[in-house]
Amino acid sequence: MTIAPICRTCNQAARLTTKAEIYPNRPDLAEKAIWICEGCGARVGCHPGTTTALGFPAGPELRAARGLLHDQLIDPLWRNAWREPCYAAAPRSAGEADRAKGKHRRVCINRAARSRVYAFLADRLGIPGAECHTGMFDLERCRAAWRALRGVTYREIRVWAQEREAAERERRAA
């Protein structure tokens, strides 16, 4: 059984519905689950295919801050990681099999990069990785995340992650 998220604005349990209620002109979203606070209208989406909230309900200002953080800083860092020179692939012919391999390679690189970006952000914010999801951020944490990531490159995050992994290997070997 899924537990309803509590709105941090109203301190009320949210109600589960579908996005058809919010976006009546978007049939592509109609069946997706969403939690809505009856008190203030704050809302939060769900993990794909589930009714598990992505965090806690947010009003317009917080939703905008979370969206901006994703669109401007978090997502570009990991989505473009495969373009870094350190991941340059050997030249290949442009055959269909090679294109498929290239796409799979990008997916793998980006998956690892996304984990690294979130681990880096959690470290910079001083919070556990499990709490480092924008759906769990309030406005102040969104601002702190913005400050932590502004001007950071994926190359810096990758170096940070490699140093951290090396230190962990040394710790285990000791």
Side-chain angles (χ1 to χ4, degrees), residues 57 99 116 118 127 148 160 162:
R99 279 194 296 276
R116 285 176 171 168
Y118 277 99
I127 62 174
W160 169 86
Q162 289 171 332

Side-chain angles (χ1 to χ4, degrees), residues 10-32:
C10 299
N11 209 27
Q12 291 185 30
R15 171 180 59 85
L16 184 63
T17 186
T18 65
K19 290 187 178 183
E21 184 175 331
I22 306 295
Y23 308 106
N25 298 323
R26 295 282 311 271
D28 57 316
L29 301 177
E31 298 303 314
K32 295 181 185 267

